[in-house]
């Protein structure tokens, strides 16, 4: 498959052109990538059109658009596309509570109302187990019917929702299903595909950079063939939130990825998953259980090894392993076909060390948390746009959340702007180690 963006940019940089144009480094070496870091060279728009057409074919969508600003941009664009379907009146979106901060900011800017869907059982702020049955019940209770449903699958911990079942329920109500598939671009290449576009979702955002060989920031916005009427507004919706100076290095990386995805990738992915399964079995056999998760994640519970999150990550780093995320409840490792055998070997050695050398004598209690909707004093939009002050969590009882309180990663709001911090909410903040909160100034 051709890579037109790469061809154009490489051709430009080879011709030794005098660059009286942006960017200011003029192609001189500062970090090493400047030669290929170009601005709007002649023909670049056509090159992207062609490249995105290849991506559209690969993902089997009505349209696949590139983002060089992550799923953060694609998520906001999905909401803007919806808004364009309803120019008068406010959007209402029924959303699973584990939404990434990008969703919240997008909704605030577009003045959309959010109805939160909570999990039946609270496991972690990143997880929100919404079943089709639960969604149907929630939709029955909504009057009027919301304009769309928004879920995250896979989530940061590797849980996958029944997207097919959720899409069917949405379509019974004639509303679209939007999926934050930031962690699941690769799902298209499983046999059979588990990608939201193949399971009936109407739009989804994929962070190509999280699971595919793409530079950080490279992402897709996909629109399903069954939702073709949304395509016309997609480009402008991206423009609404995007920089006018996209990184063509990231664009070229998405462009290059097409040939990989349409070539050897599915086979390499299959082999990689078989290897990860083998590693998980080996860990299990050595008394190191892993948690269930989507195939490219290895998820461990530090508590099962008598470790705190901090202690657990310290040992992983001692064995030269950089995990994606570790807290007291979960350690998330993300793998792709580009991990090497040495990487897995280090993990086996680190886990053997961890199992044999517990950090704690006994497990500290983690208070169970019941999912509940905090009281709300103002809309998310009002609270986000209001003046804020940063205060200690200890002084936050009764205050209204200004900036969404997220632990980073996974950047999922523990409390959402406009909500009142009650005693249960204080407990939740402390559980996730949040020591200061940005509240609305009184
Ligand atoms: C579930 C989820 N959604 C969205 C995002 C935002 O993606 P990006 O970093 O590509 O903007 C992230 C980032 O980690 C994420 O974990």
């Amino acid at each position: 498959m051709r890579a037109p963006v790469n061809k154009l940019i490489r051709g430009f940089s080879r011709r030794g052109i005098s660059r009286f144009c942006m960017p200011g480094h003029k192609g001189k070496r500062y970090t090493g990538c400047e030669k290929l870091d170009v601005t709007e060279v002649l023909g670049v728009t056509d090159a992207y059109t062609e490249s995105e057409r290849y991506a559209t074919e690969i993902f089997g969508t009505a349209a696949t658009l590139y983002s060089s600003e992550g799923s953060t941009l694609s998520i906001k664009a999905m909401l803007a596309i919806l808004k364009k379907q309803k120019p008068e009146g406010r959007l209402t979106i029924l959303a699973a509570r584990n939404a990434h901060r990008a969703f919240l900011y997008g909704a605030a800017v577009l003045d959309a109302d959010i109805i939160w869907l909570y999990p039946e059982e609270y496991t972690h702020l990143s997880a929100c187990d919404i079943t089709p049955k639960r969604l149907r019940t929630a939709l029955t209770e909504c009057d009027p019917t919301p304009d769309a449903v928004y879920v995250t699958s896979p989530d940061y911990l590797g849980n996958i929702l029944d997207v097919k079942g959720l899409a069917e329920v949405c379509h019974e109500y004639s509303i679209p299903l939007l999926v934050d598939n930031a962690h699941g671009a690769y799902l298209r290449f499983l046999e059979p595909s588990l990608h939201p576009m193949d399971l009936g979702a109407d739009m989804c955002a994929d962070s190509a950079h999280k699971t595919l060989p793409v530079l950080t920031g490279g992402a897709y916005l996909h629109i399903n063939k069954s939702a073709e009427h949304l395509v016309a507004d997609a480009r402008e919706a991206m423009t609404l939130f995007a920089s006018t100076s996209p990184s063509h290095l990231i664009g070229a990386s998405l462009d290059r990825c097409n040939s990989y995805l349409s070539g050897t990738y599915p086979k390499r992915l299959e082999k990689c998953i078989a290897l990860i399964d083998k590693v998980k079995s080996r860990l299990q056999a050595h008394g190191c259980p892993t948690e269930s998760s989507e195939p490219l994640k290895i998820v461990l519970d530090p508590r099962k090894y008598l470790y705190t999150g901090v202690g657990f990550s310290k040992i992983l780093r001692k064995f030269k392993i950089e995990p994606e995320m570790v807290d007291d409840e979960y350690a998330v490792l993300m793998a792709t076909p580009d991990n090497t055998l040495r990487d897995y070997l280090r993990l086996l050695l680190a886990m053997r060390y961890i199992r044999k050398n517990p950090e704690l004598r006994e497990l500290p209690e983690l208070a169970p948390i019941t999912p509940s909707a905090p009281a709300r004093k103002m809309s998310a939009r009002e609270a986000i746009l209001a003046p804020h002050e940063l205060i200690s969590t200890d002084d936050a009882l009764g205050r209204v959340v200004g900036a969404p309180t997220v632990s980073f990663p996974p950047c999922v709001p523990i409390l959402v702007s406009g909500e009142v911090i009650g005693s249960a909410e204080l407990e939740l903040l402390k559980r996730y180690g949040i020591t200061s909160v940005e509240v609305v100034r009184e």
Side-chain angles (χ1 to χ4, degrees):
M1 187 167 271
R2 286 168 7 109
V5 178
N6 277 272
K7 187 174 171 210
L8 188 85
I9 289 173
R10 285 172 195 280
F12 180 87
S13 79
R14 265 198 304 269
R15 266 181 277 139
I17 290 178
S18 297
R19 297 192 186 191
F20 284 104
C21 58
M22 293 181 273
H25 55 63
K26 308 297 175 189
K28 295 286 179 306
R29 193 184 161 88
Y30 287 88
T31 66
C33 66
E34 288 80 4
K35 216 170 165 192
L36 294 175
D37 182 35
V38 299
T39 179
E40 307 302 309
V41 294
L42 201 64
V44 79
T45 306
D46 290 344
Y48 274 110
T49 305
E50 187 184 348
S51 183
E52 286 180 338
R53 189 154 40 78
Y54 294 144
T56 300
E57 274 170 34
I58 290 168
F59 283 91
T61 57
T64 289
L65 275 66
Y66 293 161
S67 156
S68 60
E69 295 167 59
S71 284
T72 297
L73 172 59
S74 307
I75 289 168
K76 291 175 184 168
M78 289 199 291
L79 300 181
I81 292 170
L82 282 191
K83 178 64 191 155
K84 282 176 164 288
Q85 301 293 304
K86 193 180 181 183
E88 283 159 24
R90 290 167 77 163
L91 277 180
T92 304
I93 299 162
L94 182 63
R97 177 67 181 205
N98 61 340
H100 185 268
R101 183 173 65 182
F103 168 76
L104 192 67
Y105 280 144
V109 171
L110 295 165
D111 200 14
D113 286 326
I114 305 167
I115 304 171
W116 291 114
L117 255 173
Y118 289 86
E120 269 169 61
E121 203 181 311
Y122 189 93
T123 51
H124 191 274
L125 77 116
S126 292
C128 192
D129 183 18
I130 304 298
T131 60
K133 184 167 166 243
R134 184 155 172 71
L135 177 62
R136 187 175 281 109
T137 309
L139 283 171
T140 315
E141 287 165 3
C142 287
D143 185 21
T145 302
D147 298 296
V149 169
Y150 179 94
V151 296
T152 300
S153 175
D155 64 30
Y156 215 90
L157 308 177
N159 300 301
I160 298 193
L161 299 179
D162 175 2
V163 173
K164 185 167 184 285
L166 295 174
E168 282 165 7
V169 175
C170 286
H171 297 156
E172 279 171 31
Y173 283 80
S174 304
I175 56 172
L177 174 67
L178 276 48
V179 180
D180 171 346
N181 185 49
H183 289 253
Y186 76 97
L187 296 173
R188 165 74 175 162
F189 308 94
L190 297 179
E191 192 52 63
S193 162
L194 287 182
H195 193 273
M197 289 292 98
D198 296 309
L199 300 177
D202 296 274
M203 289 192 272
C204 75
D206 297 5
S207 297
H209 68 93
K210 291 195 198 304
T211 58
L212 303 177
V214 167
L215 291 182
T216 298
Y220 305 113
L221 164 66
H222 301 295
I223 300 175
N224 209 331
K225 285 181 176 158
S226 57
E228 202 159 6
H229 63 287
L230 301 176
V231 173
D233 290 322
R235 186 81 52 198
E236 202 192 335
M238 294 286 262
T239 308
L240 187 65
F241 292 104
S243 165
T244 49
S245 305
S247 159
H248 295 311
L249 281 176
I250 297 173
S253 166
L254 285 159
D255 175 62
R256 169 64 67 213
C257 190
N258 285 338
S259 48
Y260 178 52
L261 296 178
S262 60
T264 56
Y265 180 69
K267 273 268 160 287
R268 288 191 70 206
L269 179 66
E270 193 184 336
K271 272 196 190 157
C272 169
I273 290 171
L275 180 58
I276 292 172
D277 286 346
K278 223 185 219 174
V279 170
K280 286 179 179 171
S281 306
R282 183 75 63 89
L283 284 169
Q284 181 76 37
H286 287 85
C288 302
T290 55
E291 308 303 302
S292 72
S293 70
E294 37 131 341
L296 287 189
K297 285 198 171 90
I298 301 174
V299 181
L300 298 141
D301 176 355
R303 290 166 60 81
K304 286 189 179 158
Y305 300 90
L306 288 171
Y307 264 84
T308 59
V310 171
F312 202 86
S313 47
K314 219 183 255 175
I315 303 297
L316 290 179
R317 290 195 177 107
K318 189 171 149 168
F319 280 81
K320 289 188 157 185
I321 293 169
E322 187 59 32
E324 172 54 33
M325 182 205 87
V326 182
D327 66 15
D328 287 341
E329 297 164 88
Y330 292 97
V332 178
L333 309 177
M334 293 172 72
T336 75
D338 285 314
N339 279 102
T340 61
L341 278 177
R342 188 180 64 178
D343 298 337
Y344 296 107
L345 206 59
R346 282 180 177 163
L347 177 62
L348 291 168
L349 291 173
M351 288 312 299
R352 194 169 72 176
Y353 179 91
I354 282 174
R355 186 177 59 77
K356 287 191 172 163
N357 301 280
E359 179 192 16
L360 307 167
R361 281 173 186 276
E362 60 185 62
L363 222 44
E365 272 291 306
L366 266 187
I369 290 169
T370 331
S372 65
R376 166 168 292 286
K377 196 152 181 196
M378 48 176 86
S379 74
R381 177 186 168 89
E382 283 169 332
I384 285 171
L385 299 180
H388 296 169
E389 61 179 326
L390 190 67
I391 61 168
S392 157
T393 305
D394 291 334
D395 303 327
L397 189 67
R399 299 295 296 269
V400 178
V401 177
T405 50
V406 297
S407 65
F408 186 79
C411 236
V412 172
I414 303 169
L415 290 177
V416 168
S417 312
E419 290 175 346
V420 181
I421 304 172
S423 44
E425 288 71 39
L426 264 188
E427 281 305 306
L428 203 54
L429 291 176
K430 286 182 180 161
R431 175 165 171 174
Y432 286 107
I434 306 290
T435 52
S436 58
V437 200
E438 222 173 291
V439 294
V440 173
R441 211 184 297 153
E442 286 181 338

